[in-house]
Structures are given as C-alpha cells and as structure tokens.
Amino acid sequence: MQLGPNGPFTYVVKPDSTVEVRQLKIGEESGGLTVVRSGLALNERVVTTNQYRLQAGAHVRAAAAAAATGGVKAPAKAS
C-alpha cells in the first residue's frame, strides 16, 4: 500500500501480467499490518516491492515466495 494524492492505493497484477492502480479504503493498522476494507478482491495479486518503478500498464513478473508467508500468495515484482 502507498499513499498518493487521492489517498491509499496499490498496484494490482492483471491476468496479462500488467499492473493497474487500485484505490483502497483501509481500516486498522497493527504490528505492520493494515486491514484493507475495500479495493481488492479475494486472491488478487498485488505488487509488494519496487513500486517506485511502476506505472499503470507496466509488465511485472512474480517472485519466489518467502519461506513462511502465512498463507499469503507470492508478491509480484516490477520487471
């Protein structure tokens, strides 16, 4: 999640491995985790690193998952 001029947003990875900007509504924050109240659907992939290199329509590739992700899918990285 990032903060932009229109509030919190993230980059969502589309089926063609390009990204789109998605505005978010967020809730509570605790221990480095933030509740996303709306703006994402179940099982959508989001970019978690190198966001500074992205813009809408950029191509990305998935990175290997960390050893323990707690059930969270592997993030996508900017390519």
Side-chain angles (χ1 to χ4, degrees), residues 1-2 6-10 22-26 36 38-40:
M1 180 191 74
Q2 298 182 61
N6 296 322
F9 72 96
T10 194
R22 187 78 59 81
Q23 295 302 130
L24 302 174
K25 290 190 180 178
I26 59 171
V36 176
S38 67
L40 293 175

Side-chain angles (χ1 to χ4, degrees), residues 9-49:
F9 72 96
T10 194
Y11 290 101
V12 175
V13 182
K14 300 188 308 186
D16 65 356
S17 295
T18 61
V19 295
E20 70 179 18
V21 175
R22 187 78 59 81
Q23 295 302 130
L24 302 174
K25 290 190 180 178
I26 59 171
E28 298 80 27
E29 297 181 43
S30 177
L33 300 176
T34 302
V35 173
V36 176
R37 297 235 178 249
S38 67
L40 293 175
L42 184 63
N43 292 323
E44 281 190 308
R45 294 186 305 154
V46 298
V47 177
T48 60
T49 61

Side-chain angles (χ1 to χ4, degrees), residues 52-78:
Y52 62 91
R53 300 174 62 185
L54 292 180
Q55 58 184 345
H59 285 272
V60 295
R61 61 182 167 80
T69 61
V72 177
K73 292 193 173 195
K77 285 189 171 185

